[in-house]
Amino acid sequence: MDVSVSLWIGTIGVLIALVVADFFIGGRKPHEVSIKEAGIWTAVWVALALVFGGFLWWHGGSQPAGEFFAGYITEKSLSVDNLFVFILIMGKFAVPRIYQQRVLMVGVIIALVLRAVFIAGGAALVSEFSWVFYIFGAFLVWTAWKLIKDALADEEDEEFEENRLLKAVERRFPSTDKYHGTKLMITQNGKRLMTPMLIVMLAIGTTDVLFALDSIPAIFGLTQDPYIVFTANAFALMGLRQLYFLIGGLLKKLVHLSYGLSVILGFIGVKLVLHALHESGVHVPEIGIPLSLGVIGGVLVVTTVTSLIASRKQEAAAAATATEKDQIDA
């Protein structure tokens, strides 16, 4: 799709305006986010993504619109997996609930800026070297296999481990051990100190970069248009804060999420390899956007349904075991 400089500037301006509006309407005053509030804002961000997809359809036709929706759904589904780690980060730093939305808002903005750098680098690579698709495809297939192995081993991260950047910041800059409202820095005994609020924001933002290592190649498997890659990531990330509060309590019930994500990443990995072969002159079938949308959407629906069924069975079994134990004790 032909994207002019003015369209880039206008899009970034609109996204910034949306973030500012989100902050002043729902995020300026620290408070505990209710399920109702989170649900309304989640619906708003999804509606905005649909409107933007409609704009792409009007501006460039069905192809870029389809690529955007495929990329948006993929990034959104992968971002749900991020929420597990965000919960661990909030727990490790003991973030009070009234400050969690501020942490997520700033953390997501940091993540979006860092992802923009990744996207720019990825776009430069794929435009110059078609063989990069082989690397991206192989990496996604390997990631899919690793997800399945971890899921089968039933391994869960019980504690968040700080990355090297975060450890370096904490070593270099002294910090307090208590929160001081939403302040990021304070002066204490003549010394300038960081607060845990700034540290946890950096943790959210920089940790997301690790997730971008598979999500960015995944979306380049669906579209090579940097504009669509960036906007799909932007809309997926900007609604992540509300999604955290909306489904935070339901995340443990999505027991088959890793399997679904592994299928999606593996599928896109194969799609990338086929595309690379096609670019190299090998006559192989290519997977179109309609099929990609169908596979991604179908996998997510099946994963969600089977997860809820499995969770219900586990809860019933646990309740039966507890009842049997009470009867024995009695």
Side-chain angles (χ1 to χ4, degrees), residues 50 57 62-75 77 221-222 264 267-268 271 287-301:
L50 292 174
W57 195 302
S62 60
Q63 180 71 17
E67 291 176 355
F68 170 78
F69 285 123
Y72 171 73
I73 294 171
T74 299
E75 293 298 313
S77 61
L222 298 168
I264 292 172
F267 169 77
I268 298 177
K271 184 180 186 299
I287 301 173
I289 289 299
L291 178 58
S292 299
L293 268 171
V295 171
I296 294 168
V299 168
L300 291 176
V301 170

Side-chain angles (χ1 to χ4, degrees), residues 17-74:
L18 290 174
V19 171
V20 172
D22 185 16
F23 172 76
F24 279 102
I25 295 174
R28 183 171 63 172
K29 183 179 179 181
H31 65 283
E32 292 191 27
V33 178
S34 65
I35 295 295
K36 180 181 179 181
E37 179 184 347
I40 292 173
W41 274 104
T42 298
V44 168
W45 282 113
V46 172
L48 289 172
L50 292 174
V51 169
F52 182 77
F55 163 75
L56 286 179
W57 195 302
W58 169 80
H59 183 269
S62 60
Q63 180 71 17
E67 291 176 355
F68 170 78
F69 285 123
Y72 171 73
I73 294 171
T74 299

Side-chain angles (χ1 to χ4, degrees), residues 47-301:
L48 289 172
L50 292 174
V51 169
F52 182 77
F55 163 75
L56 286 179
W57 195 302
W58 169 80
H59 183 269
S62 60
Q63 180 71 17
E67 291 176 355
F68 170 78
F69 285 123
Y72 171 73
I73 294 171
T74 299
E75 293 298 313
K76 200 70 172 178
S77 61
L78 290 171
S79 69
V80 171
D81 202 33
N82 300 14
L83 297 182
F84 286 103
V85 179
F86 290 175
I87 289 174
L88 294 177
I89 292 174
M90 294 292 190
K92 177 179 176 61
F93 291 98
V95 182
R97 287 189 61 84
I98 62 171
Y99 301 140
Q100 288 184 6
Q101 67 160 339
R102 178 67 61 86
V103 168
L104 288 168
M105 177 176 287
V106 178
V108 165
I109 292 173
I110 293 172
L112 183 56
V113 172
L114 294 177
R115 283 199 182 202
V117 176
F118 270 60
I119 291 168
L125 283 174
V126 300
S127 65
E128 293 292 332
F129 309 105
S130 60
W131 50 263
V132 170
F133 290 112
Y134 289 111
I135 298 176
F136 281 0
F139 178 73
L140 290 179
V141 171
W142 176 81
T143 303
W145 170 243
K146 188 174 181 297
L147 274 175
I148 291 177
K149 282 183 64 179
D150 291 344
L152 291 174
D154 197 26
E155 295 179 356
E156 295 185 359
D157 298 326
E158 296 182 355
E159 186 176 351
F160 166 72
E161 295 184 4
E162 298 176 1
N163 55 55
R164 291 182 180 180
L165 175 61
L166 197 59
K167 290 179 179 178
V169 170
E170 290 180 301
R171 285 196 303 267
R172 187 176 181 85
F173 301 99
S175 61
T176 66
D177 57 356
K178 293 181 180 180
Y179 287 88
H180 295 264
T182 57
K183 292 181 179 178
L184 306 181
M185 304 285 293
I186 64 166
T187 301
Q188 197 172 75
N189 298 326
K191 292 182 64 177
R192 194 72 170 162
L193 303 175
M194 291 191 308
T195 68
M197 179 68 71
L198 177 56
I199 297 173
V200 72
M201 286 176 179
L202 291 174
I204 293 288
T206 56
T207 299
D208 180 80
V209 175
L210 300 177
F211 291 100
L213 294 177
D214 55 34
S215 66
I216 297 301
I219 194 170
F220 270 111
L222 298 168
T223 177
Q224 286 80 59
D225 190 325
Y227 180 77
I228 297 176
V229 172
F230 173 74
T231 51
N233 269 272
F235 279 101
L237 280 178
M238 288 193 300
L240 193 58
R241 174 172 64 93
Q242 290 81 8
L243 198 62
Y244 172 89
F245 295 104
L246 182 64
I247 68 171
L250 300 176
L251 284 175
K252 291 184 178 180
K253 294 187 177 182
L254 299 177
V255 294
H256 295 159
L257 178 63
S258 293
Y259 296 106
L261 294 180
S262 67
V263 172
I264 292 172
L265 290 177
F267 169 77
I268 298 177
V270 171
K271 184 180 186 299
L272 272 172
V273 172
L274 291 175
H275 177 74
L277 289 171
H278 183 78
E279 290 291 311
S280 301
V282 180
H283 295 289
V284 293
E286 284 204 270
I287 301 173
I289 289 299
L291 178 58
S292 299
L293 268 171
V295 171
I296 294 168
V299 168
L300 291 176
V301 170

